[in-house]
Amino acid sequence: LFGYVGIEAVLDQMRIKTMKTGFEFNLMVVGQSGLGKSTMVNTLFKSKVSRKPTGPGYEERIPKTVQLQSITHVIEEKGVKMKLTVTDTPGFGDQINNENCWDPIIKYINEQYEKYLREEILISRKRKIPDTRVHSCVYFVPPTGHWLRPLDLEFMRRLSKIVNMVPVIAKADTLTLEERAEFKKRIQKDLKAHGISVYPQEDFDDNSDDRILNNKIRDKMPFAVVGADKEHQVNGKRILGRKTKWGIIEVENPAHCEFPLLRDLLIRSHLQDLKDITHNVHYESYRMQRLNESNR
Ligand code: GDP
Ligand code: MG
């Protein structure tokens, strides 16, 4: 009797529901000035995520970010609307004394949790609470090829506790392939030695399939990325890349850099997981702490 549940029909219903309501996905980029954060935001929007971008902010190029600034694009694919917002942060750690330079970023992240919490505890609450919570924070590590600096470690240590932290090696075209590989291993070792657990955290692998997939990703992290916001014509095709004296570094070509891995992780394979962990782990611990405080 119960041999056939009709999962297909359930999936259809879920799809239709998502089509109607759409969904929000919020990213943040952090790192020192000049590491290519703003360029990466443009790269993300110009790459195959959204060949037909809409909404305000497009083609806007701000030379130096002085304050937290969000750009939103509504991307529509197969009838489903995704509202993708990327928050660009000012040069983080640009001061001589970088003590507490993470405060504005932590504040912003917590403010979004607070906004959500306030809506959620209302007696008559919205059927769908607007979600501005940061689902992933991409941290730009300078391509020194040496070690993580104390500032990098301190930032990631603090932030990985409140948000899904995804470190990347910035401007990876400045490193040789060997240097990239070596730097990557060092960073992995550094993070481990300092007990910093970046996304995807091993603790949250749901099952052995997840574990196998995520182990492969963890092994490749932090992704060595290259950003570009200019398109070039190559054999009649439009290619997003950096033109150099020696040729074009194609940012969407997996043979050239790992930007495709970053984009796929964020926007494709792990988008729902990033949202789930934000809600069930990071937001949940904020909520518990806040409600505990107000009960005292
Ligand atoms: P931000 O201060 O972190 O926002 O950095 P920007 O995006 O403004 O980039 C600073 C400079 O670095 C600009 O001249 C960019 O063209 C350049 N740049 C951005 N991304 C890359 C990259 O991946 N590789 C190289 N070589 N240069 C880059
Ligand atoms: Mg910038």
Side-chain angles (χ1 to χ4, degrees):
L1 186 63
F2 293 111
Y4 178 71
V5 190
I7 292 295
E8 281 301 325
V10 177
L11 289 177
D12 275 348
Q13 291 162 36
M14 286 165 77
R15 206 169 54 82
I16 290 166
K17 194 162 171 239
T18 316
M19 270 169 74
K20 279 194 195 140
T21 50
F23 62 92
E24 292 140 319
F25 189 63
N26 309 313
L27 295 172
M28 182 182 225
V29 291
V30 184
Q32 251 168 318
S33 280
L35 287 180
K37 299 181 297 298
S38 302
T39 306
M40 187 53 68
V41 173
N42 289 338
T43 312
L44 208 53
F45 283 128
K46 284 199 178 175
S47 85
K48 291 197 182 82
V49 185
S50 66
R51 275 299 182 210
K52 284 177 290 177
T54 50
Y58 193 65
E59 291 298 350
E60 227 169 66
R61 191 83 176 73
I62 290 97
K64 195 162 181 193
T65 328
V66 287
Q67 64 197 93
L68 266 69
Q69 185 212 5
S70 300
I71 304 180
T72 298
H73 289 233
V74 176
I75 295 162
E76 196 171 338
E77 199 175 298
K78 298 202 168 130
V80 181
K81 280 202 181 83
M82 170 167 88
K83 199 172 139 200
L84 174 62
T85 300
V86 183
T87 303
D88 196 348
T89 60
F92 158 86
D94 290 345
Q95 264 61 52
I96 290 172
N97 179 358
N98 284 312
E99 209 178 306
N100 304 330
C101 63
W102 36 77
D103 281 353
I105 291 157
I106 293 176
K107 183 164 163 264
Y108 177 84
I109 292 172
N110 283 333
E111 274 167 6
Q112 313 315 310
Y113 290 146
E114 183 65 29
K115 253 192 220 167
Y116 196 88
L117 180 66
R118 280 173 194 248
E119 290 280 353
E120 206 185 44
I121 58 181
L122 288 178
I123 290 180
S124 94
R125 51 185 177 183
K126 294 186 182 129
R127 273 188 62 189
K128 191 173 170 294
I129 301 174
D131 192 3
T132 58
R133 295 170 299 180
V134 179
H135 299 116
S136 181
C137 172
V138 179
Y139 183 73
F140 287 66
V141 175
T144 59
H146 298 291
W147 311 92
L148 285 176
R149 304 161 307 166
L151 177 65
D152 302 323
L153 286 166
E154 194 56 27
F155 181 82
M156 287 196 267
R157 192 178 66 74
R158 286 167 190 262
L159 270 287
S160 59
K161 289 178 188 151
I162 63 166
V163 71
N164 293 317
M165 188 73 204
V166 175
V168 296
I169 299 173
K171 295 186 169 182
D173 52 321
T174 61
L175 298 170
T176 68
L177 292 178
E178 292 80 30
E179 285 164 347
R180 273 192 210 180
E182 193 137 312
F183 193 32
K184 200 177 269 207
K185 289 284 164 247
R186 276 202 197 143
I187 294 174
Q188 289 171 358
K189 235 171 95 189
D190 260 7
L191 290 174
K192 203 167 202 166
H194 288 82
I196 298 167
S197 111
V198 297
Y199 182 84
Q201 304 94 323
E202 268 176 66
D203 294 353
F204 305 139
D205 290 344
D206 276 335
N207 50 48
S208 55
D209 284 351
D210 262 17
R211 173 136 305 174
I212 292 167
L213 171 70
N214 287 345
N215 276 341
K216 279 189 196 150
I217 293 170
R218 284 188 278 266
D219 200 49
K220 290 192 182 133
M221 280 178 79
F223 302 137
V225 299
V226 178
D229 46 16
K230 289 203 181 62
E231 281 174 338
H232 306 274
Q233 291 288 337
V234 180
N235 300 328
K237 272 196 291 183
R238 276 172 24 184
I239 302 262
L240 200 52
R242 307 189 67 80
K243 193 168 183 173
T244 71
K245 218 169 167 177
W246 307 276
I248 293 177
I249 304 160
E250 302 170 15
V251 298
E252 291 181 272
N253 184 342
H256 290 199
C257 79
E258 292 174 330
F259 168 74
L261 294 179
L262 176 70
R263 178 200 55 202
D264 288 356
L265 178 83
L266 297 176
I267 315 282
R268 293 184 180 153
S269 60
H270 285 61
L271 186 143
Q272 191 55 47
D273 189 58
L274 285 160
K275 285 177 63 121
D276 289 346
I277 292 184
T278 300
H279 186 73
N280 298 328
V281 180
H282 299 302
Y283 171 65
E284 189 59 21
S285 69
Y286 179 86
R287 196 183 69 91
M288 271 172 56
Q289 194 194 330
R290 269 281 282 111
L291 297 183
N292 264 332
E293 273 168 19
S294 50
N295 282 345
R296 244 183 259 143

